[in-house]
Each structure stands twice: as C-alpha cells, then as structure tokens.
Amino acid sequence: MGKKIKFSIGLKLVLLFAVAFLAGRGVGAAAETVSAMRQKSDSVSDTVNIVREAPGSWGLSFREEGKPPVADVSAKDLAKYNAYYMEETEEKVLYLTFDAGYENGNTPAILDALKKHNAPAAFFIVGHYLESSPDLVKRMVEEGHIVGNHSYHHPDMSQMGQEEFQKELGELERLYQETVGQEMAKYYRPPQGKFSENNLKIAKDLGYTTCFWSLAYVDWDVEKQPSREEAMEKLTKRVHPGAVVLLHSTSKTNGEILDNILTKWEEMGYTFKPLSELAKNPAEGQ
C-alpha cells in the first residue's frame, strides 16, 4: 500500500512537470503557429478578401532583415483600391515620404538633404501645417516634391461616410489651391494609419491614390526621440527593395540623420523614385 502511494505521488509530480514544460513550449509553439497561419493567409490573398470591412489601423511585422515586412493587407488586394504600401520588385528602389502635422524646425534640414541627394519625396500635410508654414510647402513644390493630402484636421476617417470624408480632403485641397496656386496632387495618407474597405473605396472614387508604408520606426514622439545610432540601425536593417519609407518631419533625429541615412542607402545600392512611379507598377504577386 505504501509503495502504491509513493508511486502515485511520484507519477503526479512527473505529470505536473510535464504539463508545466508543455505549457511553456506551447506558448512559443502557439506564436509560431499564428505566425505561420498569417504568412499562409498572405500567400492566398487572391482567393480570400482580407481588406477589413471594420475600421482598423495599418500594421507591419518586421521579420527578416532586408526583406519586406508582413502587412495587414497584401499589396495585390490594396491595388484593387488604388492603394499601395510598397512595390513588389527586386530593384533597389525607395519611395521617400514624410508626414507633416506641424513644423518643428526640422523641415529645412530635411529639404536640404533631399536636395543634396537629388531625392524626390512626398510630404503628407494637414491644414495646420499649410496655414502655419506656407513658405515651406511652396519650397517643397518648387524643389520637385509631391505634397499629398493627410486631411485637414487629422481625424479618424475610417468610419466616415463619403460626404464627411470628401469634406476633410476638400478643405485642404481648397486651401492648397489658394496658397500654392495649383491643384493638390491626388495622394492620400490615412490619418493615424486608420482605414477600412469603405474608406479605401471612397478615396479611390475621389481620384486619390492611398499611400501606406512598409518601412518606419518610432520617430513621432518628440519627447522621446531615438538616438542617431538607434535610428540609423533600424532604418538600415528594415530597408528593402520597393519600400515606401515613412518618416515624420517633426522628428529632430530625422532632421539630423537624413543626409547620413540617404548616403548609407545609396552605398547599399538604393536609388530614389517619386510616388508617381509606384502606381505605374501595380502588384502582381501576393
């Protein structure tokens, strides 16, 4: 009887250790399974509509250095709505874009670096930026950059109907026309990266190309700016052929490193093209 009790206790301990071990392994296995399922969903996107109907935020998963990240929606599915986040290509080409919510003293240095490298870019501006910094916007245009629509007030537009959506873009279009003396280019970046299928349809119906991104890093918090070294490392490791690069013009770090990172990318064999070239090369894969 005593042996049976000891055996029973020993068996229970073995089982407890086994359960604990498998639980620990299970967390990692579950994560790997989810990752594999997500990769699989990306590869069959031509048969499954993965553009969400409900509003959500644009997201990326950077997994392999020098390779495109895994995005919330495939390039092929976005292209149906005249929307893009990268070009599917082996050519080492980059599309530079900047979100400009307000002027923080860094845009002149950014423009200087772009001019030095003869690198075209797109600046997505809001109403406040155009009202407060018209001379900088005019300089962007004069130096050959695209000035795109980031909405007038930078709200969450993903749940708006067509009338409200059109009003947000239209107010900025009119102010741009009055300020610059020409029509605004039809490139749109969703505020906060928030979008929905209806949001993409409305933008397309209005003649806009919706521009997401495939390369970015945490540069927007002006109170917690990354170091130059940290920024250079992330932007070097995450760069990939056909990337649409998102940087914020409010970032002091970006103003300081842009010349260096453009030089680094050039040394890696990259060249720069305007967003107008991206839409000419619609996604064929994914």
Side-chain angles (χ1 to χ4, degrees):
M1 183 71 175
K3 289 183 179 180
K4 288 183 179 180
I5 292 173
K6 289 179 180 179
F7 178 77
S8 176
I9 294 173
L11 180 60
K12 287 180 179 179
L13 288 172
V14 170
L15 289 173
L16 284 172
F17 279 119
V19 169
F21 175 77
L22 290 173
R25 290 289 298 273
V27 172
E32 292 176 2
T33 300
V34 170
S35 175
M37 289 174 67
R38 185 172 183 179
Q39 289 177 327
K40 184 176 180 182
S41 70
D42 289 332
S43 68
V44 297
S45 61
D46 56 335
T47 58
V48 179
N49 179 17
I50 60 173
V51 178
R52 64 174 68 89
E53 293 185 6
S57 295
W58 182 250
L60 299 169
S61 176
F62 297 96
R63 299 178 180 179
E64 188 176 352
E65 187 174 328
K67 299 292 184 181
V70 175
D72 287 344
V73 185
S74 75
K76 183 177 179 180
D77 283 320
L78 282 177
K80 299 173 186 175
Y81 302 93
N82 201 25
Y84 304 89
Y85 77 99
M86 59 167 281
E87 179 186 349
E88 294 185 308
T89 180
E90 295 299 319
E91 180 186 0
K92 285 192 169 183
V93 58
L94 300 177
Y95 299 91
L96 305 175
T97 72
F98 296 84
D99 282 4
Y102 62 94
E103 179 50 36
N104 199 31
N106 305 302
T107 304
I110 289 172
L111 288 169
D112 289 344
L114 293 171
K115 187 175 184 178
K116 176 181 176 180
H117 292 265
N118 195 28
F123 289 84
F124 288 93
I125 65 171
V126 298
H128 172 75
Y129 193 95
L130 184 53
E131 289 174 345
S132 62
S133 306
D135 290 341
L136 283 174
V137 175
K138 290 176 182 178
R139 181 182 169 185
M140 294 170 189
V141 176
E142 290 169 357
E143 296 184 357
H145 303 299
I146 291 171
V147 176
N149 201 321
H150 201 31
S151 79
Y152 197 97
H153 300 97
H154 201 265
D156 176 359
M157 297 175 66
S158 62
Q159 301 184 60
M160 290 183 180
Q162 182 161 345
E163 183 177 350
E164 190 178 6
F165 188 99
Q166 186 171 1
K167 181 180 179 181
E168 265 296 326
L169 298 188
E171 286 184 10
L172 188 60
E173 289 175 351
R174 285 188 290 275
L175 180 59
Y176 182 87
Q177 174 79 53
E178 295 170 1
T179 305
V180 181
Q182 64 186 52
E183 290 187 3
M184 195 171 203
K186 291 284 189 175
Y187 294 93
Y188 161 67
R189 172 159 286 159
Q192 308 167 58
K194 294 185 177 181
F195 72 104
S196 65
E197 183 177 21
N198 187 54
N199 180 257
L200 296 176
K201 286 179 178 177
I202 295 173
K204 181 181 179 182
D205 290 343
L206 294 173
Y208 274 91
T209 294
T210 299
C211 301
F212 293 99
W213 59 91
S214 65
L215 171 56
Y217 77 116
V218 180
D219 64 345
W220 58 84
D221 190 340
V222 295
E223 300 298 328
K224 297 179 181 179
Q225 282 292 285
S227 67
R228 298 184 186 186
E229 294 74 19
E230 180 185 358
M232 288 291 293
E233 180 183 13
K234 288 185 176 179
L235 291 172
T236 300
K237 287 185 176 180
R238 293 178 178 179
V239 72
H240 64 87
V244 174
V245 182
L246 164 61
L247 299 173
H248 286 79
S249 64
T250 52
S251 167
K252 181 174 183 289
T253 300
N254 287 341
E256 294 172 344
I257 70 160
L258 189 61
D259 182 22
N260 291 333
I261 192 62
L262 294 180
T263 299
K264 179 64 176 179
W265 284 336
E266 287 172 331
E267 291 173 350
M268 295 170 69
Y270 284 94
T271 58
F272 312 107
K273 289 185 179 180
L275 277 182
S276 55
E277 292 294 318
L278 178 61
K280 294 180 181 178
N281 301 292
E284 295 178 357
Q286 277 189 268

